[in-house]
Short mmCIF file of all heavy atoms in Angstrom, two decimals:
data_model
loop_
_atom_site.label_atom_id
_atom_site.label_comp_id
_atom_site.label_asym_id
_atom_site.label_seq_id
_atom_site.Cartn_x
_atom_site.Cartn_y
_atom_site.Cartn_z
N TYR A 1 40.01 -26.68 -26.23
CA TYR A 1 39.62 -28.05 -26.58
C TYR A 1 38.80 -28.09 -27.87
O TYR A 1 39.02 -28.95 -28.72
CB TYR A 1 38.84 -28.66 -25.42
CG TYR A 1 38.36 -30.07 -25.68
CD1 TYR A 1 39.24 -31.15 -25.65
CD2 TYR A 1 37.01 -30.32 -25.97
CE1 TYR A 1 38.81 -32.44 -25.90
CE2 TYR A 1 36.57 -31.61 -26.22
CZ TYR A 1 37.47 -32.67 -26.19
OH TYR A 1 37.04 -33.96 -26.44
N ARG A 2 37.84 -27.16 -27.99
CA ARG A 2 37.02 -27.14 -29.21
C ARG A 2 37.88 -26.91 -30.44
O ARG A 2 37.64 -27.52 -31.49
CB ARG A 2 35.96 -26.04 -29.10
CG ARG A 2 35.01 -26.01 -30.30
CD ARG A 2 33.94 -24.95 -30.10
NE ARG A 2 34.52 -23.61 -30.06
CZ ARG A 2 33.92 -22.57 -29.51
NH1 ARG A 2 32.75 -22.69 -28.93
NH2 ARG A 2 34.50 -21.38 -29.53
N ALA A 3 38.90 -26.06 -30.34
CA ALA A 3 39.79 -25.82 -31.47
C ALA A 3 40.53 -27.10 -31.86
O ALA A 3 40.75 -27.37 -33.05
CB ALA A 3 40.78 -24.71 -31.13
N ALA A 4 40.91 -27.90 -30.87
CA ALA A 4 41.60 -29.16 -31.15
C ALA A 4 40.66 -30.15 -31.84
O ALA A 4 41.05 -30.85 -32.80
CB ALA A 4 42.13 -29.77 -29.86
N VAL A 5 39.40 -30.22 -31.38
CA VAL A 5 38.42 -31.10 -32.03
C VAL A 5 38.16 -30.64 -33.45
O VAL A 5 38.09 -31.45 -34.39
CB VAL A 5 37.11 -31.13 -31.21
CG1 VAL A 5 36.04 -31.93 -31.94
CG2 VAL A 5 37.35 -31.73 -29.83
N LEU A 6 38.04 -29.33 -33.65
CA LEU A 6 37.86 -28.80 -35.00
C LEU A 6 39.08 -29.08 -35.87
O LEU A 6 38.95 -29.28 -37.08
CB LEU A 6 37.60 -27.29 -34.94
CG LEU A 6 36.20 -26.86 -34.49
CD1 LEU A 6 36.15 -25.36 -34.25
CD2 LEU A 6 35.15 -27.28 -35.51
N GLY A 7 40.26 -29.12 -35.26
CA GLY A 7 41.46 -29.47 -36.02
C GLY A 7 41.37 -30.87 -36.59
O GLY A 7 41.73 -31.12 -37.74
N ALA A 8 40.88 -31.82 -35.77
CA ALA A 8 40.68 -33.19 -36.25
C ALA A 8 39.67 -33.21 -37.39
O ALA A 8 39.85 -33.91 -38.39
CB ALA A 8 40.22 -34.08 -35.11
N GLY A 9 38.59 -32.45 -37.23
CA GLY A 9 37.57 -32.39 -38.28
C GLY A 9 38.09 -31.73 -39.53
O GLY A 9 37.80 -32.19 -40.65
N PHE A 10 38.86 -30.66 -39.39
CA PHE A 10 39.39 -29.96 -40.55
C PHE A 10 40.32 -30.88 -41.35
O PHE A 10 40.29 -30.90 -42.58
CB PHE A 10 40.14 -28.70 -40.12
CG PHE A 10 40.50 -27.80 -41.26
CD1 PHE A 10 39.60 -26.83 -41.69
CD2 PHE A 10 41.72 -27.89 -41.90
CE1 PHE A 10 39.92 -25.99 -42.74
CE2 PHE A 10 42.06 -27.06 -42.96
CZ PHE A 10 41.14 -26.10 -43.38
N GLY A 11 41.13 -31.67 -40.65
CA GLY A 11 41.97 -32.64 -41.34
C GLY A 11 41.14 -33.63 -42.13
O GLY A 11 41.55 -34.10 -43.19
N GLY A 12 39.93 -33.94 -41.62
CA GLY A 12 39.06 -34.88 -42.30
C GLY A 12 38.47 -34.34 -43.59
O GLY A 12 38.50 -35.00 -44.62
N PHE A 13 37.96 -33.09 -43.56
CA PHE A 13 37.32 -32.61 -44.78
C PHE A 13 38.29 -31.88 -45.71
O PHE A 13 38.03 -31.78 -46.91
CB PHE A 13 36.08 -31.76 -44.45
CG PHE A 13 36.31 -30.28 -44.37
CD1 PHE A 13 36.25 -29.49 -45.50
CD2 PHE A 13 36.51 -29.65 -43.15
CE1 PHE A 13 36.43 -28.12 -45.42
CE2 PHE A 13 36.68 -28.29 -43.06
CZ PHE A 13 36.64 -27.52 -44.20
N ALA A 14 39.43 -31.40 -45.19
CA ALA A 14 40.40 -30.73 -46.06
C ALA A 14 41.01 -31.70 -47.05
O ALA A 14 41.38 -31.32 -48.17
CB ALA A 14 41.50 -30.08 -45.22
N LEU A 15 41.13 -32.96 -46.66
CA LEU A 15 41.69 -33.98 -47.56
C LEU A 15 40.66 -35.02 -47.98
O LEU A 15 40.94 -35.83 -48.87
CB LEU A 15 42.87 -34.69 -46.88
CG LEU A 15 44.07 -33.81 -46.52
CD1 LEU A 15 45.12 -34.62 -45.78
CD2 LEU A 15 44.68 -33.18 -47.77
N GLY A 16 39.52 -35.03 -47.32
CA GLY A 16 38.56 -36.10 -47.61
C GLY A 16 37.16 -35.59 -47.85
O GLY A 16 36.84 -35.09 -48.92
N ALA A 17 36.30 -35.68 -46.83
CA ALA A 17 34.90 -35.31 -46.99
C ALA A 17 34.31 -35.04 -45.63
O ALA A 17 34.89 -35.38 -44.59
CB ALA A 17 34.12 -36.45 -47.68
N THR A 18 33.13 -34.42 -45.62
CA THR A 18 32.47 -34.08 -44.36
C THR A 18 32.25 -35.31 -43.46
O THR A 18 32.50 -35.22 -42.25
CB THR A 18 31.13 -33.37 -44.63
OG1 THR A 18 31.39 -32.19 -45.41
CG2 THR A 18 30.45 -32.96 -43.34
N PRO A 19 31.78 -36.45 -43.97
CA PRO A 19 31.63 -37.61 -43.08
C PRO A 19 32.93 -38.03 -42.42
O PRO A 19 32.93 -38.44 -41.25
CB PRO A 19 31.10 -38.70 -44.02
CG PRO A 19 30.45 -37.96 -45.14
CD PRO A 19 31.28 -36.73 -45.33
N THR A 20 34.04 -37.94 -43.15
CA THR A 20 35.33 -38.28 -42.56
C THR A 20 35.68 -37.31 -41.45
O THR A 20 36.21 -37.69 -40.40
CB THR A 20 36.44 -38.25 -43.63
OG1 THR A 20 35.99 -38.91 -44.81
CG2 THR A 20 37.70 -38.90 -43.13
N ALA A 21 35.38 -36.03 -41.68
CA ALA A 21 35.63 -35.01 -40.66
C ALA A 21 34.86 -35.31 -39.39
O ALA A 21 35.41 -35.25 -38.28
CB ALA A 21 35.25 -33.64 -41.20
N ILE A 22 33.58 -35.64 -39.53
CA ILE A 22 32.75 -35.91 -38.36
C ILE A 22 33.21 -37.19 -37.66
O ILE A 22 33.20 -37.28 -36.43
CB ILE A 22 31.27 -36.01 -38.75
CG1 ILE A 22 30.81 -34.71 -39.43
CG2 ILE A 22 30.41 -36.28 -37.54
CD1 ILE A 22 30.88 -33.49 -38.56
N ALA A 23 33.62 -38.18 -38.45
CA ALA A 23 34.12 -39.43 -37.85
C ALA A 23 35.38 -39.16 -37.04
O ALA A 23 35.55 -39.71 -35.94
CB ALA A 23 34.40 -40.46 -38.93
N ASN A 24 36.27 -38.31 -37.56
CA ASN A 24 37.47 -37.94 -36.81
C ASN A 24 37.10 -37.27 -35.49
O ASN A 24 37.65 -37.61 -34.44
CB ASN A 24 38.33 -36.99 -37.64
CG ASN A 24 39.08 -37.69 -38.76
OD1 ASN A 24 39.10 -38.92 -38.84
ND2 ASN A 24 39.70 -36.92 -39.63
N MET A 25 36.18 -36.31 -35.55
CA MET A 25 35.79 -35.59 -34.33
C MET A 25 35.08 -36.52 -33.35
O MET A 25 35.27 -36.42 -32.14
CB MET A 25 34.89 -34.41 -34.69
CG MET A 25 35.58 -33.33 -35.50
SD MET A 25 34.72 -31.73 -35.48
CE MET A 25 33.14 -32.18 -36.15
N SER A 26 34.28 -37.44 -33.89
CA SER A 26 33.58 -38.38 -33.02
C SER A 26 34.57 -39.28 -32.28
O SER A 26 34.42 -39.53 -31.08
CB SER A 26 32.62 -39.24 -33.87
OG SER A 26 32.00 -40.23 -33.08
N ALA A 27 35.59 -39.76 -32.98
CA ALA A 27 36.60 -40.61 -32.34
C ALA A 27 37.33 -39.83 -31.24
O ALA A 27 37.62 -40.38 -30.17
CB ALA A 27 37.60 -41.11 -33.37
N VAL A 28 37.59 -38.55 -31.50
CA VAL A 28 38.29 -37.72 -30.50
C VAL A 28 37.41 -37.50 -29.27
O VAL A 28 37.85 -37.65 -28.14
CB VAL A 28 38.69 -36.36 -31.12
CG1 VAL A 28 39.22 -35.41 -30.04
CG2 VAL A 28 39.76 -36.57 -32.19
N THR A 29 36.14 -37.14 -29.49
CA THR A 29 35.26 -36.83 -28.36
C THR A 29 34.90 -38.09 -27.56
O THR A 29 34.63 -37.99 -26.36
CB THR A 29 33.99 -36.12 -28.83
OG1 THR A 29 33.32 -36.92 -29.82
CG2 THR A 29 34.32 -34.77 -29.42
N LYS A 30 34.87 -39.25 -28.20
CA LYS A 30 34.67 -40.48 -27.44
C LYS A 30 35.80 -40.71 -26.46
O LYS A 30 35.60 -41.27 -25.38
CB LYS A 30 34.59 -41.68 -28.40
CG LYS A 30 33.30 -41.80 -29.19
CD LYS A 30 33.39 -43.02 -30.11
CE LYS A 30 32.18 -43.14 -31.00
NZ LYS A 30 32.28 -44.31 -31.90
N ASN A 31 36.97 -40.26 -26.83
CA ASN A 31 38.16 -40.49 -26.02
C ASN A 31 38.36 -39.42 -24.95
O ASN A 31 38.70 -39.73 -23.81
CB ASN A 31 39.40 -40.54 -26.93
CG ASN A 31 40.47 -41.47 -26.40
OD1 ASN A 31 40.30 -42.12 -25.39
ND2 ASN A 31 41.58 -41.51 -27.10
N TYR A 32 38.10 -38.15 -25.32
CA TYR A 32 38.45 -37.05 -24.43
C TYR A 32 37.26 -36.28 -23.86
O TYR A 32 37.42 -35.56 -22.88
CB TYR A 32 39.36 -36.06 -25.16
CG TYR A 32 40.68 -36.65 -25.59
CD1 TYR A 32 40.91 -36.96 -26.93
CD2 TYR A 32 41.70 -36.90 -24.67
CE1 TYR A 32 42.12 -37.50 -27.34
CE2 TYR A 32 42.92 -37.43 -25.07
CZ TYR A 32 43.12 -37.73 -26.42
OH TYR A 32 44.31 -38.28 -26.81
N GLY A 33 36.10 -36.40 -24.49
CA GLY A 33 34.94 -35.66 -23.99
C GLY A 33 34.26 -34.87 -25.09
O GLY A 33 34.84 -34.62 -26.15
N PRO A 34 33.00 -34.45 -24.87
CA PRO A 34 32.18 -33.85 -25.93
C PRO A 34 32.57 -32.41 -26.28
O PRO A 34 33.21 -31.71 -25.50
CB PRO A 34 30.78 -33.89 -25.33
CG PRO A 34 30.99 -33.89 -23.84
CD PRO A 34 32.27 -34.64 -23.62
N SER A 35 32.14 -32.01 -27.47
CA SER A 35 32.30 -30.63 -27.94
C SER A 35 31.17 -30.35 -28.93
O SER A 35 31.38 -30.32 -30.14
CB SER A 35 33.66 -30.44 -28.61
OG SER A 35 33.85 -29.10 -29.00
N PRO A 36 29.95 -30.13 -28.42
CA PRO A 36 28.77 -30.02 -29.29
C PRO A 36 28.85 -28.92 -30.34
O PRO A 36 28.41 -29.11 -31.48
CB PRO A 36 27.64 -29.74 -28.30
CG PRO A 36 28.12 -30.28 -26.99
CD PRO A 36 29.59 -30.05 -26.99
N VAL A 37 29.42 -27.76 -30.00
CA VAL A 37 29.45 -26.65 -30.96
C VAL A 37 30.28 -27.02 -32.18
O VAL A 37 29.95 -26.64 -33.31
CB VAL A 37 30.00 -25.38 -30.28
CG1 VAL A 37 30.16 -24.24 -31.30
CG2 VAL A 37 29.08 -24.93 -29.15
N ALA A 38 31.34 -27.78 -31.99
CA ALA A 38 32.18 -28.20 -33.12
C ALA A 38 31.38 -29.01 -34.13
O ALA A 38 31.57 -28.88 -35.34
CB ALA A 38 33.37 -29.01 -32.61
N PHE A 39 30.44 -29.83 -33.63
CA PHE A 39 29.65 -30.67 -34.51
C PHE A 39 28.58 -29.87 -35.26
O PHE A 39 27.96 -30.37 -36.19
CB PHE A 39 28.99 -31.80 -33.72
CG PHE A 39 29.93 -32.92 -33.39
CD1 PHE A 39 30.68 -32.88 -32.22
CD2 PHE A 39 30.08 -34.00 -34.23
CE1 PHE A 39 31.56 -33.90 -31.91
CE2 PHE A 39 30.95 -35.03 -33.93
CZ PHE A 39 31.69 -34.98 -32.76
N VAL A 40 28.34 -28.64 -34.84
CA VAL A 40 27.38 -27.78 -35.53
C VAL A 40 28.07 -26.95 -36.60
O VAL A 40 27.63 -26.89 -37.75
CB VAL A 40 26.64 -26.86 -34.54
CG1 VAL A 40 25.73 -25.89 -35.29
CG2 VAL A 40 25.83 -27.68 -33.55
N ILE A 41 29.18 -26.29 -36.23
CA ILE A 41 29.76 -25.33 -37.16
C ILE A 41 30.55 -25.98 -38.28
O ILE A 41 30.55 -25.47 -39.42
CB ILE A 41 30.64 -24.30 -36.41
CG1 ILE A 41 31.85 -24.95 -35.77
CG2 ILE A 41 29.83 -23.55 -35.38
CD1 ILE A 41 32.80 -23.94 -35.13
N LEU A 42 31.23 -27.09 -38.01
CA LEU A 42 32.04 -27.67 -39.09
C LEU A 42 31.19 -28.17 -40.26
O LEU A 42 31.53 -27.89 -41.41
CB LEU A 42 32.94 -28.78 -38.56
CG LEU A 42 33.93 -29.27 -39.63
CD1 LEU A 42 35.33 -29.38 -39.06
CD2 LEU A 42 33.51 -30.61 -40.20
N PRO A 43 30.08 -28.91 -40.03
CA PRO A 43 29.27 -29.32 -41.19
C PRO A 43 28.70 -28.14 -41.98
O PRO A 43 28.57 -28.22 -43.20
CB PRO A 43 28.15 -30.14 -40.55
CG PRO A 43 28.68 -30.60 -39.26
CD PRO A 43 29.57 -29.50 -38.79
N LEU A 44 28.36 -27.04 -41.29
CA LEU A 44 27.83 -25.88 -42.01
C LEU A 44 28.88 -25.30 -42.95
O LEU A 44 28.57 -24.86 -44.06
CB LEU A 44 27.35 -24.82 -41.02
CG LEU A 44 26.08 -25.17 -40.24
CD1 LEU A 44 25.77 -24.08 -39.22
CD2 LEU A 44 24.90 -25.37 -41.18
#
């Protein structure tokens, strides 16, 4: 699951920016459930 959330985030910053990546992950976790570690490692 964390890999899938990171996939959404990677799509956000690979083509856009870190805020877009986090927004993508936030939308996913609101729908399917949390993944705290993903929100730590991707911004770093």
Side-chain angles (χ1 to χ4, degrees):
Y1 179 75
R2 184 177 64 201
V5 175
L6 285 171
F10 191 88
F13 94 86
L15 298 176
T18 302
T20 315
I22 302 298
N24 285 351
M25 294 198 302
S26 176
V28 171
T29 56
K30 285 179 184 179
N31 212 2
Y32 297 105
S35 183
V37 175
F39 283 88
V40 175
I41 65 175
L42 188 133
L44 289 176

